[in-house]
Amino acid sequence: MKFIIVFVLIIHTLSMIVAHGKKVNIDHKKTIVKSGCDLFKGRWVYDESYPLYETSQCPFIEKEFDCQKNGRPDQFYLKYRWQPTGCNLPRFNGEDFLRRYKGKSVLFVGDSLSLNQWQSLTCMLHITVPQAHYTLVRIGDLSLFTFTSYNIKVMFSRNAFLVDIFSENIGRVLKLDSIEAAKTWKGINVLIFDSWHWWLHTGRKQPWDFIQEGNNRFRDMDRLVAYEKGLKTWANWIDTNIDINKTRVFFQGVSPDHINSEQWGTPRESTKFCEGEEKPLLGTKYPGGPHPAELVLERVLSGMKKPIKLLDITTLSQLRKDGHPSVYGHGGHRDMDCSHWCLAGVPDTWNQLLYASLIQN
C-alpha cells in the first residue's frame, strides 16, 4: 500500500511540474520504447539550442549543402527541432552509435538525397568524437567514411534507380527487372535505401533512352508505374537475399521538393519557388496532401515478406519549405535548388529518427 501511495505522489508531482512549465529530465529512450507512439507524426518547434553542429566542424560537407557558407543570410531554418506528438525523440548519441556498430558497416544506397543524409550522419558522428581519426575515400560511385578507431564504415553508394541501366547498341536502357548492382549490398549490417527524384527527369537530365521490362522495350512509360515496377524488383531481391537477423534494412521514404508554392497555401505569383522561405509550416499536416510516390512506396513495402522499416520522413519534410538551399546551393544565384537540403538542417532529423529506430529494437 505504501508503495502505491508513493508511486501516485510521484506521478502527481511530475504532472504538476509539467503543468507549470518546468523542465523535467526524461529518459527519452525509455519514453519512446514504452509509449510506442509514431515518431514520424508531430510538428516543428523552435529550439534555441539548435543546430546540432556548425558546418565548419565538418570540412568534408559538400559545398552544395553548406548554405551558410554560400551566403544564406537568415538562420531561423537552423533553429527547428522535430517534436513527435505524445512522446519525445531520443537525443542523438554519436558515441553510442559508434559503440553499437563498432567493427560493422552502414551503407546508404540512392541518389543525391541519400548523399544529403549520409553527409549529415558522418558530420553528426564526427563532432561527437572530433579527435577520432577518420578516412574518407571515394572509389567511383562509392564513398567510404571510416572511423578507424572504431573500425566502422559509413558508406554511400550512388545508385539513383536501384535497378540497372545498361549501355547497349540502341542506347542506354533502364531495365526494371534487373538488379545486378545489389550484389554489393550483401554482408552490410545496416542498409538505408532511397529512390525517387531521378525517375522524374526528362530531356538532357534523363540518364536512359529506353525502359525495358522482360523482353518489352519502351520509349517511355508513366513514371509512377515504372517506379513501382523498379521498387518491386528491389523488394524481391531483399526478400530473397537479406537475412534480417544480420542486416537491418530501412527505406528513407520520399524526400519532397518545394517548387509549387500553391501546395503550401501561397499564390504562385507571389513567390519564387522556395526562395525566401525562412520558417516551416505550422501544424502537423501538409496542405498539399500526401506525396504520390510515397503512396507507391508504402504499397510495395506492405507487400514484402521481410519487415523493412520505412523512415517515414515525407510529411515532416513537406512542412520544411524553408530548409532547401534555393539560390544558396552553389554560392550564387545561378541555380534554384528546392530539392536538396541545407546542412545543418532537415536530414539531421532523418538521422535522429534512424538512430531512434535502431535503438528501439
Side-chain angles (χ1 to χ4, degrees):
M1 178 65 72
K2 289 182 180 180
F3 172 79
I4 295 174
I5 293 172
V6 171
F7 180 77
V8 171
L9 285 172
I10 290 172
I11 296 298
H12 176 72
T13 302
L14 283 172
S15 64
M16 291 297 290
I17 291 172
V18 172
H20 286 83
K22 295 181 181 179
K23 292 184 178 179
V24 179
N25 291 324
I26 300 173
D27 186 329
H28 292 284
K29 179 180 176 181
K30 290 182 179 178
T31 301
I32 65 161
V33 170
K34 289 183 178 180
S35 68
C37 81
D38 189 343
L39 293 176
F40 301 96
K41 295 188 184 301
R43 59 193 175 90
W44 293 96
V45 297
Y46 187 84
D47 190 331
E48 191 60 45
S49 69
Y50 272 51
L52 298 176
Y53 56 85
E54 301 290 338
T55 51
S56 60
Q57 297 174 275
C58 301
F60 46 81
I61 284 182
E62 301 277 346
K63 178 179 175 64
E64 64 188 282
F65 304 142
D66 196 348
C67 302
Q68 288 291 302
K69 190 173 182 179
N70 291 337
R72 181 165 176 170
D74 62 300
Q75 295 191 357
F76 278 117
Y77 74 96
L78 294 168
K79 298 292 185 179
Y80 285 89
R81 171 176 57 81
W82 180 246
Q83 177 60 56
T85 302
C87 60
N88 294 289
L89 188 60
R91 189 177 299 276
F92 182 83
N93 186 331
E95 285 190 89
D96 177 63
F97 189 105
L98 291 168
R99 284 195 300 269
R100 283 173 182 265
Y101 291 97
K102 186 174 183 178
K104 297 182 179 180
S105 54
V106 178
L107 176 63
F108 290 86
V109 183
D111 56 26
S112 52
L113 277 308
S114 193
L115 169 65
N116 224 171
Q117 186 177 4
W118 172 73
Q119 288 238 292
S120 163
L121 181 60
T122 53
C123 185
M124 291 167 72
L125 293 172
H126 170 64
I127 63 168
T128 301
V129 287
Q131 304 307 317
H133 181 260
Y134 70 86
T135 60
L136 176 56
V137 179
R138 290 185 172 89
I139 306 170
D141 290 330
L142 181 66
S143 299
L144 300 93
F145 196 110
T146 305
F147 290 90
T148 52
S149 56
Y150 291 88
N151 190 27
I152 175 176
K153 291 182 174 63
V154 184
M155 302 174 285
F156 165 63
S157 174
R158 188 180 291 273
N159 185 337
F161 296 93
L162 302 182
V163 292
D164 298 324
I165 297 177
F166 291 106
S167 294
E168 300 185 356
N169 292 334
I170 60 167
R172 302 162 299 175
V173 182
L174 173 62
K175 296 195 175 183
L176 300 178
D177 50 8
S178 175
I179 193 163
E180 290 187 10
K183 58 189 176 185
T184 62
W185 307 340
K186 290 184 177 182
I188 302 296
N189 300 105
V190 181
L191 289 165
I192 306 102
F193 293 94
D194 150 65
S195 183
W196 168 241
H197 278 265
W198 278 84
W199 291 87
L200 292 176
H201 286 324
T202 58
R204 289 181 299 173
K205 287 189 175 183
Q206 179 179 298
W208 49 265
D209 304 300
F210 295 91
I211 295 178
Q212 184 170 328
E213 183 184 24
N215 294 321
N216 299 314
R217 193 170 287 164
F218 310 91
R219 277 286 184 181
D220 206 346
M221 70 167 61
D222 183 290
R223 300 306 175 86
L224 276 173
V225 172
Y227 178 59
E228 183 164 5
K229 290 178 182 292
L231 282 180
K232 286 181 176 179
T233 298
W234 166 85
N236 289 335
W237 188 91
I238 294 291
D239 277 340
T240 303
N241 294 278
I242 293 296
D243 181 352
I244 58 171
N245 294 313
K246 297 179 179 179
T247 301
R248 299 287 302 275
V249 182
F250 298 86
F251 210 104
Q252 183 200 58
V254 173
S255 174
D257 58 34
H258 287 90
I259 295 173
N260 181 5
S261 63
E262 291 178 350
Q263 290 192 344
W264 63 84
T266 302
R268 186 175 295 190
E269 62 272 9
S270 65
T271 185
K272 295 181 179 179
F273 303 105
C274 62
E275 184 180 1
E277 298 290 345
E278 297 183 0
K279 297 179 181 179
L281 290 166
L282 300 177
T284 61
K285 294 184 178 180
Y286 185 61
H291 196 293
E294 183 73 3
L295 299 178
V296 170
L297 174 59
E298 290 174 359
R299 184 163 63 244
V300 171
L301 294 181
S302 68
M304 293 180 68
K305 298 174 184 176
K306 302 284 176 69
I308 306 307
K309 176 70 175 180
L310 173 64
L311 294 177
D312 193 4
I313 53 90
T314 303
T315 300
L316 67 89
S317 303
Q318 284 178 319
L319 298 174
R320 292 305 304 271
K321 57 186 174 60
D322 59 318
H324 300 286
S326 69
V327 296
Y328 302 104
H330 298 91
H333 290 254
R334 292 171 293 175
D335 298 305
M336 177 67 68
D337 185 353
C338 298
S339 297
H340 300 102
W341 303 91
C342 294
L343 295 179
V346 173
D348 304 331
T349 296
W350 301 350
N351 285 317
Q352 286 179 288
L353 290 161
L354 171 64
Y355 174 69
S357 299
L358 287 168
I359 66 175
Q360 275 187 296
N361 297 311

